[in-house]
Amino acid sequence: MATDLGELLVPYMPTIRVPRTGDRVFKSECAFSYDSPESEGGLYVCMNTFLGFGREHVERHYHKTGQSVYMHLKRHVKEVRRVTRLFSNLELNRDFNGVDYEYEDEAKLVIFPDHFEIPLPNIEELPALVSEIVTIACDAVLNASSPYKKQEADSWEEEIQVSKHARSLRQQENGVRIPPSGWKCAKCEMRENLWLNLTDGSVLCGKWFFDGSGGNGHALEHYKETNFPLAVKLDTITPDGADIYSFDEEEAVLDPHISEHLLHFGIDMLQMQRVYNDVQPCVSDWEVIQESSLKLKPVYGSGYTGIKNLANSCYLSTTMQVLFSIPEFQRAAKLGHGLLSGQYSKPPMKSELIEQVMKEEYKQQQRGISPKMFKALVSKGHPEFSSDRQQDAHEFFLHLINLVERNSSGSENPGDVFRFLVEERVQCCQTQKVRYTQRIDYLMQLPVPLEAASNREELIAYESKRKEAEENMRPPPEPVRARIPFTACLQAFTEPENVPDFWSSALQAKSAGVKTSRFASFPEYMVMQIKKFTFGVDWVPKKLDVSVDVPDFLDLNRLRATGLQTGEAELPDLTPPIVIPEDTRAPEIDESSVMQLAEMGFPLEACRKAVYYTGNMGAEMAFNWIIAHMEDPSFPTISALDNQPPEESISILTSMGFPRHHTIQALKATNNNLERALDWIFTHPDCEDESEAMSDTAETEPNNNSFSNANAHSDSSLSPDQDLSSPRVRDGPGRYELFAFISHMGSSTMSGHYVCHIKKEGRWLIYNDHKVCLSERPPKDLGYMYFYRRLSSC
């Protein structure tokens, strides 16, 4: 029989490949679903492309590509009695409930369409011509490392080296002290992506990142002027270290003396370490938020699928659970199917059968889907989200919105349900003249005014007892949580704020200014973040232990923007002059700024003109120039030819069995990045059935929304008329109902744990990693991010 099967393999030998360096072998997860070797049907790995497919999808791949040889992987899980095992050739693990179990893997080759099977241990019985090649290929597939290893190795945490400047860095004695908040670039108004130069203490903005955040490159300019080589990113300083960049070495680096270098500017990392470790989260927080003291009833089926924790990935899991409870996001193929199909959330067998089955073989219960491929896709190239460290769910939400924005060219953007306009009114205190501008945002951040606590007397008494216990070296009293009225948070949100270094166009000079913000539009879904995380005056990171009586129903209509009022005088529409250094030579064009703009979809010629006419002042300045000149008759346009992907990239993807029109669409949606295009194909399988003509037409049309600001916190001014009439702004009444919230347990966003509560079918549920249960007491007052949907009957 082996000889007969060997003869069957001979015609397919040219299609059986040995994985080469750089090939990724997807042997743990289906490309189109969350089937794995542990699934009932196992996993089929194509011996040519090394893509994995569940039983439901392997037939489709065979029919589309003609590839007939697959490796079928099946993993059996057996319970291990809790006794000492001296000898075992099987992999031993322990599940979340403390049960020991072991894996036993089974592998065979399958020839389609007749499903002829060749068990791999018998491969040597095949004819010599076949056996040697097939054995090498099969061993290489079975021994291939995870396709996500490269992603993990790309994180800064594993690759960065000690800077050659760390030991010899000389710091200036200039008396500079850096406060724990309120930073801004010394050369512009940027308040994000700020870098502290470790030589002179200058705080300057960085350059634009791929996700749309960033600045005007003033930190790099400062290095070119001074040759001061090292800078640290201000919002990354934690007791464990910080993100440090060497302009001279042009890469992220380590600084073994970073605590001393930061102390020079008043940032005491050793003090941060001591206090950070001493302040532990209240056990009650963990119990209340997870409802761990209650016996919660598990639920199964569509919409009730948990997500495995991939080592500190709960920030991702909770965010995605909430987003996929929103209809606009449920169209996404793979993750949506995994969470909503119910295929990976089935109730256990009847109790009387479980005992009988467990005697023979351990039947692993539902453990949720494993989002390895999704995490690799959304975090690729990001120094924080590509690591295994805990992250901020709020920052990940904004990162995901940016990523969806970039990959929604030619199609509807589901993130638009969060998109709204903020009207900012700035008034010059000296002339009383005003300016109204609008910016795009995706969530509202509510401050926490501790002075408004309703239990102030109790808090004062607790603080007195705590200090007394500390002085007498006694155990501290039971902590008291501040109770903050939601109305006080909303009031603090609407209060006018001072504008530092305000430049008055009426005076043509700096003056005092105040700014107020209102809603120019209300989104379909309002996301609200409670600003619980802050720094003390000693730079110690703190999480405010507060309870906020967040309402089930929210009415924001009174915060609707009104625009210019009768009797108000507008500030002249002038900006500070751009000073371009005099040079008799033709100015060089900053190609990095050109490429950043080109990646946003603008024609290359337009990008060069914008950078030239703004005097190489950075991508943001050039971006504003493009927006102001898009209607000019001479503005360059994007032709269909310019947008055609390289033929060699198309050939590589089509050789893997994907239709030509699908590969073209994937390349166009990912700026012709081959690896991202392959991931795009995995997550857009429904696009395969579209006609080539329809696909090409949709993708070659210019993106009229390319002016849209990808950074949710940018201060770029936008045209009110243009934005309000845009279909991407779904304005309506500002009345909402709470349907989900994400809670954080721990003392820092870089540690602890996230869970989320979602209201479905009139009942609250708790999603805690792989576990999904009915919630008995949803702790709505302890949440971190709240999600509201617009009321239909307004």
Side-chain angles (χ1 to χ4, degrees), residues 29 34 148 151 307 310 316-317 319-320 323-324 332 334-336 369-380 396 400 403-404 679 683:
E29 183 180 318
Y34 285 93
Y148 312 106
Q151 166 81 9
I307 299 179
L310 306 177
L316 178 148
S317 301
T319 303
M320 300 316 300
L323 291 183
F324 275 95
K334 182 174 178 178
L335 188 60
I369 60 176
S370 176
K372 289 183 179 179
M373 189 177 291
F374 177 79
K375 185 177 186 296
L377 174 64
V378 300
S379 64
K380 184 173 177 59
F396 178 74
L400 192 72
L403 202 61
V404 171
D679 291 328
T683 54

PDB file of all heavy atoms in Angstrom, residues 29 34 148 151 307 310 316-317 319-320 323-324 332 334-336 369-380 396 400 403-404 679 683:
ATOM      1  N   GLU A  29      -2.766  27.709  13.306  1.00  0.00           N
ATOM      2  CA  GLU A  29      -4.033  28.437  13.172  1.00  0.00           C
ATOM      3  C   GLU A  29      -4.420  28.547  11.712  1.00  0.00           C
ATOM      4  O   GLU A  29      -3.583  28.786  10.842  1.00  0.00           O
ATOM      5  CB  GLU A  29      -3.872  29.832  13.775  1.00  0.00           C
ATOM      6  CG  GLU A  29      -5.118  30.681  13.786  1.00  0.00           C
ATOM      7  CD  GLU A  29      -4.853  32.035  14.406  1.00  0.00           C
ATOM      8  OE1 GLU A  29      -4.144  32.103  15.438  1.00  0.00           O
ATOM      9  OE2 GLU A  29      -5.328  33.034  13.850  1.00  0.00           O
ATOM     10  N   TYR A  34     -10.441  30.180  13.257  1.00  0.00           N
ATOM     11  CA  TYR A  34      -9.617  29.889  14.422  1.00  0.00           C
ATOM     12  C   TYR A  34      -9.512  28.392  14.675  1.00  0.00           C
ATOM     13  O   TYR A  34      -9.251  27.958  15.791  1.00  0.00           O
ATOM     14  CB  TYR A  34     -10.157  30.633  15.644  1.00  0.00           C
ATOM     15  CG  TYR A  34      -9.827  32.103  15.585  1.00  0.00           C
ATOM     16  CD1 TYR A  34     -10.719  33.012  15.025  1.00  0.00           C
ATOM     17  CD2 TYR A  34      -8.601  32.576  16.020  1.00  0.00           C
ATOM     18  CE1 TYR A  34     -10.400  34.352  14.925  1.00  0.00           C
ATOM     19  CE2 TYR A  34      -8.275  33.918  15.930  1.00  0.00           C
ATOM     20  CZ  TYR A  34      -9.182  34.795  15.378  1.00  0.00           C
ATOM     21  OH  TYR A  34      -8.851  36.124  15.271  1.00  0.00           O
ATOM     22  N   TYR A 148       5.187  33.805  14.369  1.00  0.00           N
ATOM     23  CA  TYR A 148       5.149  35.070  15.096  1.00  0.00           C
ATOM     24  C   TYR A 148       6.447  35.324  15.850  1.00  0.00           C
ATOM     25  O   TYR A 148       6.591  36.341  16.509  1.00  0.00           O
ATOM     26  CB  TYR A 148       3.966  35.085  16.064  1.00  0.00           C
ATOM     27  CG  TYR A 148       2.697  34.636  15.390  1.00  0.00           C
ATOM     28  CD1 TYR A 148       2.164  33.379  15.645  1.00  0.00           C
ATOM     29  CD2 TYR A 148       2.062  35.450  14.450  1.00  0.00           C
ATOM     30  CE1 TYR A 148       1.022  32.948  15.000  1.00  0.00           C
ATOM     31  CE2 TYR A 148       0.930  35.018  13.799  1.00  0.00           C
ATOM     32  CZ  TYR A 148       0.401  33.770  14.078  1.00  0.00           C
ATOM     33  OH  TYR A 148      -0.722  33.352  13.432  1.00  0.00           O
ATOM     34  N   GLN A 151       8.026  38.454  14.645  1.00  0.00           N
ATOM     35  CA  GLN A 151       7.318  39.610  15.181  1.00  0.00           C
ATOM     36  C   GLN A 151       7.792  39.908  16.590  1.00  0.00           C
ATOM     37  O   GLN A 151       8.040  41.047  16.955  1.00  0.00           O
ATOM     38  CB  GLN A 151       5.806  39.316  15.179  1.00  0.00           C
ATOM     39  CG  GLN A 151       4.971  40.272  16.016  1.00  0.00           C
ATOM     40  CD  GLN A 151       4.690  41.546  15.296  1.00  0.00           C
ATOM     41  OE1 GLN A 151       4.970  41.668  14.110  1.00  0.00           O
ATOM     42  NE2 GLN A 151       4.141  42.509  15.997  1.00  0.00           N
ATOM     43  N   ILE A 307     -11.450  35.113  24.624  1.00  0.00           N
ATOM     44  CA  ILE A 307     -10.185  35.277  23.907  1.00  0.00           C
ATOM     45  C   ILE A 307      -9.052  34.875  24.843  1.00  0.00           C
ATOM     46  O   ILE A 307      -8.950  35.386  25.962  1.00  0.00           O
ATOM     47  CB  ILE A 307      -9.984  36.727  23.433  1.00  0.00           C
ATOM     48  CG1 ILE A 307     -11.105  37.140  22.475  1.00  0.00           C
ATOM     49  CG2 ILE A 307      -8.630  36.898  22.759  1.00  0.00           C
ATOM     50  CD1 ILE A 307     -10.988  38.566  21.981  1.00  0.00           C
ATOM     51  N   LEU A 310      -2.587  36.064  25.635  1.00  0.00           N
ATOM     52  CA  LEU A 310      -1.278  35.740  25.066  1.00  0.00           C
ATOM     53  C   LEU A 310      -0.173  36.436  25.846  1.00  0.00           C
ATOM     54  O   LEU A 310       0.692  37.089  25.261  1.00  0.00           O
ATOM     55  CB  LEU A 310      -1.217  36.165  23.591  1.00  0.00           C
ATOM     56  CG  LEU A 310      -2.321  35.628  22.685  1.00  0.00           C
ATOM     57  CD1 LEU A 310      -2.163  36.193  21.291  1.00  0.00           C
ATOM     58  CD2 LEU A 310      -2.281  34.102  22.655  1.00  0.00           C
ATOM     59  N   LEU A 316      -5.880  44.131  24.605  1.00  0.00           N
ATOM     60  CA  LEU A 316      -6.357  43.893  23.239  1.00  0.00           C
ATOM     61  C   LEU A 316      -7.684  43.139  23.264  1.00  0.00           C
ATOM     62  O   LEU A 316      -8.619  43.496  22.528  1.00  0.00           O
ATOM     63  CB  LEU A 316      -5.292  43.110  22.463  1.00  0.00           C
ATOM     64  CG  LEU A 316      -5.594  42.707  21.025  1.00  0.00           C
ATOM     65  CD1 LEU A 316      -4.296  42.687  20.204  1.00  0.00           C
ATOM     66  CD2 LEU A 316      -6.234  41.321  20.948  1.00  0.00           C
ATOM     67  N   SER A 317      -7.777  42.112  24.093  1.00  0.00           N
ATOM     68  CA  SER A 317      -8.978  41.274  24.128  1.00  0.00           C
ATOM     69  C   SER A 317     -10.214  42.071  24.512  1.00  0.00           C
ATOM     70  O   SER A 317     -11.257  41.967  23.872  1.00  0.00           O
ATOM     71  CB  SER A 317      -8.769  40.114  25.107  1.00  0.00           C
ATOM     72  OG  SER A 317      -7.661  39.331  24.734  1.00  0.00           O
ATOM     73  N   THR A 319     -10.732  45.321  24.348  1.00  0.00           N
ATOM     74  CA  THR A 319     -11.077  46.308  23.324  1.00  0.00           C
ATOM     75  C   THR A 319     -11.795  45.654  22.157  1.00  0.00           C
ATOM     76  O   THR A 319     -12.818  46.162  21.661  1.00  0.00           O
ATOM     77  CB  THR A 319      -9.808  47.021  22.829  1.00  0.00           C
ATOM     78  OG1 THR A 319      -9.141  47.631  23.939  1.00  0.00           O
ATOM     79  CG2 THR A 319     -10.150  48.090  21.800  1.00  0.00           C
ATOM     80  N   MET A 320     -11.301  44.514  21.700  1.00  0.00           N
ATOM     81  CA  MET A 320     -11.908  43.851  20.550  1.00  0.00           C
ATOM     82  C   MET A 320     -13.270  43.251  20.899  1.00  0.00           C
ATOM     83  O   MET A 320     -14.170  43.225  20.046  1.00  0.00           O
ATOM     84  CB  MET A 320     -10.973  42.774  19.998  1.00  0.00           C
ATOM     85  CG  MET A 320      -9.615  43.294  19.526  1.00  0.00           C
ATOM     86  SD  MET A 320      -9.695  44.828  18.550  1.00  0.00           S
ATOM     87  CE  MET A 320     -10.706  44.308  17.164  1.00  0.00           C
ATOM     88  N   LEU A 323     -15.594  46.215  20.578  1.00  0.00           N
ATOM     89  CA  LEU A 323     -15.766  46.663  19.191  1.00  0.00           C
ATOM     90  C   LEU A 323     -16.607  45.687  18.388  1.00  0.00           C
ATOM     91  O   LEU A 323     -17.427  46.100  17.562  1.00  0.00           O
ATOM     92  CB  LEU A 323     -14.395  46.848  18.527  1.00  0.00           C
ATOM     93  CG  LEU A 323     -13.546  48.013  19.038  1.00  0.00           C
ATOM     94  CD1 LEU A 323     -12.253  48.130  18.244  1.00  0.00           C
ATOM     95  CD2 LEU A 323     -14.321  49.326  18.962  1.00  0.00           C
ATOM     96  N   PHE A 324     -16.437  44.387  18.629  1.00  0.00           N
ATOM     97  CA  PHE A 324     -17.206  43.412  17.856  1.00  0.00           C
ATOM     98  C   PHE A 324     -18.616  43.191  18.402  1.00  0.00           C
ATOM     99  O   PHE A 324     -19.320  42.317  17.919  1.00  0.00           O
ATOM    100  CB  PHE A 324     -16.426  42.101  17.736  1.00  0.00           C
ATOM    101  CG  PHE A 324     -15.458  42.110  16.597  1.00  0.00           C
ATOM    102  CD1 PHE A 324     -14.145  42.446  16.794  1.00  0.00           C
ATOM    103  CD2 PHE A 324     -15.878  41.837  15.302  1.00  0.00           C
ATOM    104  CE1 PHE A 324     -13.248  42.492  15.755  1.00  0.00           C
ATOM    105  CE2 PHE A 324     -14.999  41.880  14.247  1.00  0.00           C
ATOM    106  CZ  PHE A 324     -13.676  42.207  14.469  1.00  0.00           C
ATOM    107  N   ALA A 332     -15.885  42.443   9.622  1.00  0.00           N
ATOM    108  CA  ALA A 332     -14.502  41.984   9.469  1.00  0.00           C
ATOM    109  C   ALA A 332     -14.487  40.458   9.520  1.00  0.00           C
ATOM    110  O   ALA A 332     -15.138  39.849  10.354  1.00  0.00           O
ATOM    111  CB  ALA A 332     -13.626  42.576  10.551  1.00  0.00           C
ATOM    112  N   LYS A 334     -12.184  37.397   9.751  1.00  0.00           N
ATOM    113  CA  LYS A 334     -11.719  36.303  10.594  1.00  0.00           C
ATOM    114  C   LYS A 334     -12.055  36.481  12.070  1.00  0.00           C
ATOM    115  O   LYS A 334     -12.671  35.611  12.682  1.00  0.00           O
ATOM    116  CB  LYS A 334     -10.213  36.119  10.416  1.00  0.00           C
ATOM    117  CG  LYS A 334      -9.667  34.967  11.240  1.00  0.00           C
ATOM    118  CD  LYS A 334      -8.217  34.709  10.940  1.00  0.00           C
ATOM    119  CE  LYS A 334      -7.699  33.582  11.815  1.00  0.00           C
ATOM    120  NZ  LYS A 334      -6.306  33.234  11.548  1.00  0.00           N
ATOM    121  N   LEU A 335     -11.653  37.595  12.659  1.00  0.00           N
ATOM    122  CA  LEU A 335     -11.904  37.796  14.077  1.00  0.00           C
ATOM    123  C   LEU A 335     -13.398  37.860  14.349  1.00  0.00           C
ATOM    124  O   LEU A 335     -13.880  37.333  15.346  1.00  0.00           O
ATOM    125  CB  LEU A 335     -11.211  39.073  14.572  1.00  0.00           C
ATOM    126  CG  LEU A 335     -11.251  39.294  16.081  1.00  0.00           C
ATOM    127  CD1 LEU A 335     -10.576  38.147  16.819  1.00  0.00           C
ATOM    128  CD2 LEU A 335     -10.593  40.610  16.463  1.00  0.00           C
ATOM    129  N   GLY A 336     -14.141  38.514  13.449  1.00  0.00           N
ATOM    130  CA  GLY A 336     -15.589  38.577  13.623  1.00  0.00           C
ATOM    131  C   GLY A 336     -16.219  37.191  13.610  1.00  0.00           C
ATOM    132  O   GLY A 336     -17.095  36.878  14.425  1.00  0.00           O
ATOM    133  N   ILE A 369     -10.721  31.806  21.562  1.00  0.00           N
ATOM    134  CA  ILE A 369      -9.877  31.835  20.370  1.00  0.00           C
ATOM    135  C   ILE A 369      -8.528  32.462  20.711  1.00  0.00           C
ATOM    136  O   ILE A 369      -8.414  33.245  21.643  1.00  0.00           O
ATOM    137  CB  ILE A 369     -10.556  32.616  19.228  1.00  0.00           C
ATOM    138  CG1 ILE A 369     -10.824  34.059  19.641  1.00  0.00           C
ATOM    139  CG2 ILE A 369     -11.846  31.937  18.797  1.00  0.00           C
ATOM    140  CD1 ILE A 369     -11.395  34.916  18.542  1.00  0.00           C
ATOM    141  N   SER A 370      -7.523  32.099  19.945  1.00  0.00           N
ATOM    142  CA  SER A 370      -6.167  32.605  20.171  1.00  0.00           C
ATOM    143  C   SER A 370      -5.844  33.657  19.109  1.00  0.00           C
ATOM    144  O   SER A 370      -5.685  33.313  17.933  1.00  0.00           O
ATOM    145  CB  SER A 370      -5.159  31.464  20.098  1.00  0.00           C
ATOM    146  OG  SER A 370      -3.844  31.949  20.231  1.00  0.00           O
ATOM    147  N   PRO A 371      -5.734  34.939  19.466  1.00  0.00           N
ATOM    148  CA  PRO A 371      -5.586  36.007  18.461  1.00  0.00           C
ATOM    149  C   PRO A 371      -4.143  36.275  18.047  1.00  0.00           C
ATOM    150  O   PRO A 371      -3.747  37.426  17.871  1.00  0.00           O
ATOM    151  CB  PRO A 371      -6.189  37.218  19.186  1.00  0.00           C
ATOM    152  CG  PRO A 371      -5.802  36.997  20.620  1.00  0.00           C
ATOM    153  CD  PRO A 371      -5.838  35.494  20.835  1.00  0.00           C
ATOM    154  N   LYS A 372      -3.323  35.232  17.881  1.00  0.00           N
ATOM    155  CA  LYS A 372      -1.912  35.443  17.545  1.00  0.00           C
ATOM    156  C   LYS A 372      -1.750  36.167  16.223  1.00  0.00           C
ATOM    157  O   LYS A 372      -0.988  37.122  16.104  1.00  0.00           O
ATOM    158  CB  LYS A 372      -1.188  34.099  17.506  1.00  0.00           C
ATOM    159  CG  LYS A 372      -0.993  33.449  18.857  1.00  0.00           C
ATOM    160  CD  LYS A 372      -0.196  32.161  18.729  1.00  0.00           C
ATOM    161  CE  LYS A 372       0.033  31.509  20.084  1.00  0.00           C
ATOM    162  NZ  LYS A 372       0.788  30.244  19.952  1.00  0.00           N
ATOM    163  N   MET A 373      -2.463  35.687  15.192  1.00  0.00           N
ATOM    164  CA  MET A 373      -2.324  36.294  13.874  1.00  0.00           C
ATOM    165  C   MET A 373      -2.837  37.727  13.887  1.00  0.00           C
ATOM    166  O   MET A 373      -2.234  38.632  13.302  1.00  0.00           O
ATOM    167  CB  MET A 373      -3.077  35.456  12.829  1.00  0.00           C
ATOM    168  CG  MET A 373      -2.829  35.880  11.391  1.00  0.00           C
ATOM    169  SD  MET A 373      -3.670  34.803  10.195  1.00  0.00           S
ATOM    170  CE  MET A 373      -2.725  33.293  10.398  1.00  0.00           C
ATOM    171  N   PHE A 374      -3.940  37.959  14.582  1.00  0.00           N
ATOM    172  CA  PHE A 374      -4.505  39.304  14.661  1.00  0.00           C
ATOM    173  C   PHE A 374      -3.553  40.246  15.392  1.00  0.00           C
ATOM    174  O   PHE A 374      -3.312  41.373  14.948  1.00  0.00           O
ATOM    175  CB  PHE A 374      -5.857  39.261  15.369  1.00  0.00           C
ATOM    176  CG  PHE A 374      -6.480  40.616  15.562  1.00  0.00           C
ATOM    177  CD1 PHE A 374      -7.126  41.243  14.516  1.00  0.00           C
ATOM    178  CD2 PHE A 374      -6.399  41.267  16.789  1.00  0.00           C
ATOM    179  CE1 PHE A 374      -7.682  42.498  14.680  1.00  0.00           C
ATOM    180  CE2 PHE A 374      -6.956  42.520  16.959  1.00  0.00           C
ATOM    181  CZ  PHE A 374      -7.605  43.133  15.899  1.00  0.00           C
ATOM    182  N   LYS A 375      -2.990  39.802  16.512  1.00  0.00           N
ATOM    183  CA  LYS A 375      -2.060  40.650  17.266  1.00  0.00           C
ATOM    184  C   LYS A 375      -0.829  40.982  16.430  1.00  0.00           C
ATOM    185  O   LYS A 375      -0.342  42.118  16.434  1.00  0.00           O
ATOM    186  CB  LYS A 375      -1.644  39.968  18.569  1.00  0.00           C
ATOM    187  CG  LYS A 375      -0.768  40.830  19.473  1.00  0.00           C
ATOM    188  CD  LYS A 375      -0.458  40.128  20.782  1.00  0.00           C
ATOM    189  CE  LYS A 375       0.298  41.048  21.739  1.00  0.00           C
ATOM    190  NZ  LYS A 375       1.610  41.437  21.246  1.00  0.00           N
ATOM    191  N   ALA A 376      -0.318  39.980  15.706  1.00  0.00           N
ATOM    192  CA  ALA A 376       0.849  40.229  14.859  1.00  0.00           C
ATOM    193  C   ALA A 376       0.528  41.253  13.784  1.00  0.00           C
ATOM    194  O   ALA A 376       1.356  42.104  13.444  1.00  0.00           O
ATOM    195  CB  ALA A 376       1.312  38.918  14.225  1.00  0.00           C
ATOM    196  N   LEU A 377      -0.694  41.194  13.255  1.00  0.00           N
ATOM    197  CA  LEU A 377      -1.087  42.114  12.177  1.00  0.00           C
ATOM    198  C   LEU A 377      -1.225  43.539  12.688  1.00  0.00           C
ATOM    199  O   LEU A 377      -0.670  44.479  12.113  1.00  0.00           O
ATOM    200  CB  LEU A 377      -2.403  41.638  11.561  1.00  0.00           C
ATOM    201  CG  LEU A 377      -3.028  42.556  10.507  1.00  0.00           C
ATOM    202  CD1 LEU A 377      -2.120  42.659   9.294  1.00  0.00           C
ATOM    203  CD2 LEU A 377      -4.402  42.034  10.100  1.00  0.00           C
ATOM    204  N   VAL A 378      -1.960  43.735  13.779  1.00  0.00           N
ATOM    205  CA  VAL A 378      -2.260  45.097  14.228  1.00  0.00           C
ATOM    206  C   VAL A 378      -1.100  45.750  14.973  1.00  0.00           C
ATOM    207  O   VAL A 378      -1.074  46.967  15.119  1.00  0.00           O
ATOM    208  CB  VAL A 378      -3.523  45.130  15.125  1.00  0.00           C
ATOM    209  CG1 VAL A 378      -4.729  44.618  14.375  1.00  0.00           C
ATOM    210  CG2 VAL A 378      -3.314  44.327  16.406  1.00  0.00           C
ATOM    211  N   SER A 379      -0.136  44.940  15.433  1.00  0.00           N
ATOM    212  CA  SER A 379       0.960  45.520  16.214  1.00  0.00           C
ATOM    213  C   SER A 379       2.257  45.607  15.436  1.00  0.00           C
ATOM    214  O   SER A 379       3.253  46.114  15.960  1.00  0.00           O
ATOM    215  CB  SER A 379       1.201  44.673  17.473  1.00  0.00           C
ATOM    216  OG  SER A 379       1.629  43.365  17.135  1.00  0.00           O
ATOM    217  N   LYS A 380       2.264  45.133  14.198  1.00  0.00           N
ATOM    218  CA  LYS A 380       3.508  45.081  13.435  1.00  0.00           C
ATOM    219  C   LYS A 380       4.124  46.469  13.307  1.00  0.00           C
ATOM    220  O   LYS A 380       3.480  47.426  12.907  1.00  0.00           O
ATOM    221  CB  LYS A 380       3.254  44.501  12.046  1.00  0.00           C
ATOM    222  CG  LYS A 380       4.533  44.337  11.221  1.00  0.00           C
ATOM    223  CD  LYS A 380       4.257  43.617   9.934  1.00  0.00           C
ATOM    224  CE  LYS A 380       5.526  43.526   9.095  1.00  0.00           C
ATOM    225  NZ  LYS A 380       6.603  42.815   9.809  1.00  0.00           N
ATOM    226  N   PHE A 396      -4.411  51.631  22.845  1.00  0.00           N
ATOM    227  CA  PHE A 396      -4.613  50.609  21.817  1.00  0.00           C
ATOM    228  C   PHE A 396      -5.866  50.909  21.003  1.00  0.00           C
ATOM    229  O   PHE A 396      -5.889  50.696  19.787  1.00  0.00           O
ATOM    230  CB  PHE A 396      -4.723  49.220  22.457  1.00  0.00           C
ATOM    231  CG  PHE A 396      -4.973  48.139  21.447  1.00  0.00           C
ATOM    232  CD1 PHE A 396      -3.955  47.705  20.607  1.00  0.00           C
ATOM    233  CD2 PHE A 396      -6.229  47.561  21.313  1.00  0.00           C
ATOM    234  CE1 PHE A 396      -4.182  46.716  19.663  1.00  0.00           C
ATOM    235  CE2 PHE A 396      -6.472  46.576  20.378  1.00  0.00           C
ATOM    236  CZ  PHE A 396      -5.442  46.146  19.553  1.00  0.00           C
ATOM    237  N   LEU A 400      -5.789  51.322  17.015  1.00  0.00           N
ATOM    238  CA  LEU A 400      -6.598  50.496  16.125  1.00  0.00           C
ATOM    239  C   LEU A 400      -7.446  51.358  15.194  1.00  0.00           C
ATOM    240  O   LEU A 400      -7.593  51.047  14.002  1.00  0.00           O
ATOM    241  CB  LEU A 400      -7.500  49.573  16.956  1.00  0.00           C
ATOM    242  CG  LEU A 400      -8.184  48.470  16.162  1.00  0.00           C
ATOM    243  CD1 LEU A 400      -7.172  47.414  15.751  1.00  0.00           C
ATOM    244  CD2 LEU A 400      -9.291  47.828  16.976  1.00  0.00           C
ATOM    245  N   LEU A 403      -5.248  52.464  12.478  1.00  0.00           N
ATOM    246  CA  LEU A 403      -4.927  51.364  11.573  1.00  0.00           C
ATOM    247  C   LEU A 403      -6.100  51.065  10.646  1.00  0.00           C
ATOM    248  O   LEU A 403      -5.915  50.841   9.440  1.00  0.00           O
ATOM    249  CB  LEU A 403      -4.573  50.121  12.401  1.00  0.00           C
ATOM    250  CG  LEU A 403      -3.742  49.048  11.727  1.00  0.00           C
ATOM    251  CD1 LEU A 403      -2.388  49.602  11.295  1.00  0.00           C
ATOM    252  CD2 LEU A 403      -3.541  47.871  12.675  1.00  0.00           C
ATOM    253  N   VAL A 404      -7.306  51.074  11.186  1.00  0.00           N
ATOM    254  CA  VAL A 404      -8.492  50.844  10.361  1.00  0.00           C
ATOM    255  C   VAL A 404      -8.642  51.957   9.338  1.00  0.00           C
ATOM    256  O   VAL A 404      -9.001  51.725   8.176  1.00  0.00           O
ATOM    257  CB  VAL A 404      -9.744  50.739  11.253  1.00  0.00           C
ATOM    258  CG1 VAL A 404     -11.011  50.714  10.419  1.00  0.00           C
ATOM    259  CG2 VAL A 404      -9.673  49.491  12.122  1.00  0.00           C
ATOM    260  N   ASP A 679      -1.332  39.435   4.853  1.00  0.00           N
ATOM    261  CA  ASP A 679      -2.199  39.473   6.031  1.00  0.00           C
ATOM    262  C   ASP A 679      -3.562  40.052   5.684  1.00  0.00           C
ATOM    263  O   ASP A 679      -4.593  39.617   6.205  1.00  0.00           O
ATOM    264  CB  ASP A 679      -1.540  40.302   7.141  1.00  0.00           C
ATOM    265  CG  ASP A 679      -0.316  39.613   7.730  1.00  0.00           C
ATOM    266  OD1 ASP A 679      -0.315  38.369   7.763  1.00  0.00           O
ATOM    267  OD2 ASP A 679       0.623  40.305   8.132  1.00  0.00           O
ATOM    268  N   THR A 683      -7.526  38.407   6.116  1.00  0.00           N
ATOM    269  CA  THR A 683      -8.612  39.030   6.873  1.00  0.00           C
ATOM    270  C   THR A 683      -9.727  39.571   5.979  1.00  0.00           C
ATOM    271  O   THR A 683     -10.685  40.138   6.478  1.00  0.00           O
ATOM    272  CB  THR A 683      -8.076  40.177   7.738  1.00  0.00           C
ATOM    273  OG1 THR A 683      -7.359  41.097   6.904  1.00  0.00           O
ATOM    274  CG2 THR A 683      -7.141  39.638   8.804  1.00  0.00           C
TER     275      THR A 683
END
